[in-house]
Amino acid sequence: MSREPTVAVVGATGAVGREMLKILHAREFPAVRVLAFASARSAGCKIPFGDEMLTVEELKEDVFEGIDIAIFSAGGSTSLKFSPHAANAGCVVVDNSSAWRMDDRCPLVVPEVNPEHLEKHQGIIANPNCSTIQMVVVLKPIHDAVRIRRIVVSTYQAVSGTGQKGIEELERQVRDLFNGREPENKVYPFRIAFNILPHIDVFLENDYTKEEMKMVNETVKIFDDPSVKVTATCARVPVFYGHSESVNVQTEKKMTPKEARILLSRSLGVVVYDNPRNNMYPLPGMHAGEDSAFVGRIREDESIENGLNMWIVADNVRKGAALNAVQIAEELLTRDLVRVPDKTVFIQ
Ligand code: A2P
């Protein structure tokens, strides 16, 4: 587009929304104006955007007129309700919830992996699940080089993935335990402090959780390759920021750990941090606040042919959510795709 866009952050008071504002400012996103929306509860509140304070406005169906890009992180039901109104007003939506991810009309994009999928967008673009993003950034170069047949992943996910309320629950429970009080479980079904819960999102008919099936289905959509088999186990751990993943891949052709390190050290969005002799491996406590996906513990899976094991860590609020969404908005600008070709697609 020839002029600078007007940008809205929807869900601006949440953990991801606040980070989106920080990242838009830090990366000097070329916006002529930035607006902040949340629920009626927050209308009138002030939130920081660089040195400015933005006044939060109530999200309503008719607010999108004149807005070019809306980055949503306000949950699935809010997105389902409001994103079609945005697209209908000619505003391109980048949505962080799971509402649109598997909708055939919506590209599911990680800019380092499949930016070309943006070309066919129809007004709503989905940001993948946090655990999927950090995994595919690392695995796509391997897939391109030696074809991944199967991925087995176990996640160790931070409480910030649940939003502000997850962060507050862990803080409160730790304080309660140290002060001899019985902690209350408001957000998770069991205590998260000093515990691990193999349960993220709801259980489905097949006894997997929705989070686990997101990793399976989203990976196939992003790779655009149904031949890749994925199985996942997702656990919530008492870490504030940064998801970790143990990932095992079986590939068609062999790739040695050394070849993988060389390939990944040249790949966009990936940092290889892997020197076991010096205790160098990625840690959520070390890489929270950073932009890349960090990979270490790369080693051969000696139990199968053509197998690799690795450990992947990224800041789930940044690369897993806010940063990836802002990068999508940047890519839309670069490719001159800030437009809605047919405004009626999402309005039935
Ligand atoms: P609010 O703070 O007014 O409730 P988190 O994921 O950290 O919990 O953040 C969720 C974000 O989504 C918050 O900014 C929240 O605003 C916003 N939100 C939740 N429900 C709605 C809604 N119905 N309309 C607009 N924003 C909403």
Side-chain angles (χ1 to χ4, degrees):
M1 66 195 305
S2 52
R3 55 181 177 81
E4 292 190 341
T6 296
V7 176
V9 172
V10 177
T13 51
V16 173
R18 284 173 187 274
E19 199 66 30
M20 283 170 173
L21 287 169
K22 268 195 221 159
I23 293 172
L24 283 168
H25 186 265
R27 291 170 75 94
E28 299 179 356
F29 188 88
V32 66
R33 194 160 172 232
V34 175
L35 300 162
F37 291 97
S39 75
R41 294 180 289 276
S42 311
C45 291
K46 304 271 187 201
I47 46 170
F49 176 63
D51 298 333
E52 276 176 69
M53 293 302 279
L54 302 179
T55 303
V56 177
E57 298 173 52
E58 180 184 350
L59 182 65
K60 292 188 188 148
E61 290 174 358
D62 61 359
V63 298
F64 298 101
E65 212 58 57
I67 297 174
D68 300 297
I69 304 173
I71 313 183
F72 274 61
S73 190
S77 54
T78 306
S79 180
L80 277 178
K81 181 170 173 203
F82 290 96
S83 298
H85 292 283
N88 194 235
C91 168
V92 181
V93 172
V94 180
D95 180 46
N96 189 49
S97 79
S98 60
W100 303 98
R101 289 184 192 145
M102 298 315 294
D103 190 313
D104 286 341
R105 296 168 296 180
C106 304
L108 182 66
V109 175
V110 180
E112 295 88 342
V113 176
N114 60 336
E116 69 285 355
H117 288 192
L118 287 173
E119 297 286 345
K120 288 194 181 146
H121 90 77
Q122 301 189 63
I124 302 177
I125 296 141
N127 206 39
N129 175 261
C130 41
S131 300
T132 309
I133 293 176
Q134 68 183 66
M135 183 174 82
V136 297
V137 170
V138 175
L139 294 190
K140 184 60 166 36
I142 297 176
H143 187 51
D144 288 344
V146 287
R147 268 207 113 59
I148 293 177
R149 282 193 175 151
R150 180 168 186 246
I151 303 168
V152 182
V153 53
S154 300
T155 71
Y156 306 70
Q157 299 184 216
V159 292
S160 51
T162 319
Q164 196 56 39
K165 57 187 184 299
I167 298 170
E168 285 162 16
E169 175 116 324
L170 177 57
E171 266 173 6
R172 185 172 30 74
Q173 290 187 345
V174 169
R175 253 200 322 271
D176 284 348
L177 284 168
F178 278 113
N179 286 290
R181 292 189 294 263
E182 187 57 34
E184 213 186 322
N185 306 322
K186 291 188 187 168
V187 175
Y188 302 111
F190 298 96
R191 173 166 57 76
I192 184 63
F194 308 104
N195 208 1
I196 295 179
L197 312 182
H199 176 183
I200 299 184
D201 210 331
V202 294
F203 280 99
L204 303 172
E205 279 284 295
N206 63 0
D207 290 344
Y208 281 81
T209 61
K210 205 168 164 189
E211 184 83 352
E212 290 161 351
M213 294 315 294
K214 285 177 201 166
M215 293 195 78
V216 173
N217 298 324
E218 292 179 19
T219 301
V220 169
K221 181 168 176 178
I222 295 165
F223 281 8
D224 200 6
D225 187 349
S227 75
V228 178
K229 304 297 173 210
V230 186
T231 186
T233 303
C234 295
R236 185 75 67 195
V237 296
V239 165
F240 284 109
Y241 296 97
H243 288 356
S244 306
E245 298 177 344
S246 163
V247 180
N248 173 270
V249 293
Q250 188 163 24
T251 56
E252 210 163 284
K253 288 190 241 144
K254 189 171 181 64
M255 177 176 277
T256 66
K258 189 176 170 195
E259 286 165 346
R261 281 186 207 106
I262 293 169
L263 173 73
L264 293 173
S265 63
R266 295 179 186 145
S267 301
L268 269 183
V270 181
V271 172
V272 177
Y273 194 74
D274 192 16
N275 188 339
R277 267 150 221 87
N278 293 326
N279 293 346
M280 277 174 65
Y281 35 75
L283 297 169
M286 186 187 293
H287 302 301
E290 296 194 49
D291 287 350
S292 305
F294 292 81
V295 59
R297 302 293 325 278
I298 301 173
R299 61 213 189 276
E300 196 163 330
D301 175 355
E302 294 170 348
S303 71
I304 51 169
E305 237 186 276
N306 302 345
L308 285 173
N309 284 312
M310 65 196 79
W311 178 251
I312 302 171
V313 172
D315 186 323
N316 54 301
V317 177
R318 288 181 73 87
K319 186 56 192 164
L323 172 66
N324 197 72
V326 172
Q327 286 175 311
I328 291 174
E330 290 171 346
E331 194 68 34
L332 287 170
L333 276 181
T334 307
R335 291 174 179 252
D336 197 16
L337 292 169
V338 185
R339 50 172 169 70
V340 180
D342 174 358
K343 294 181 184 177
T344 62
V345 167
F346 293 97
I347 295 274
Q348 270 87 36

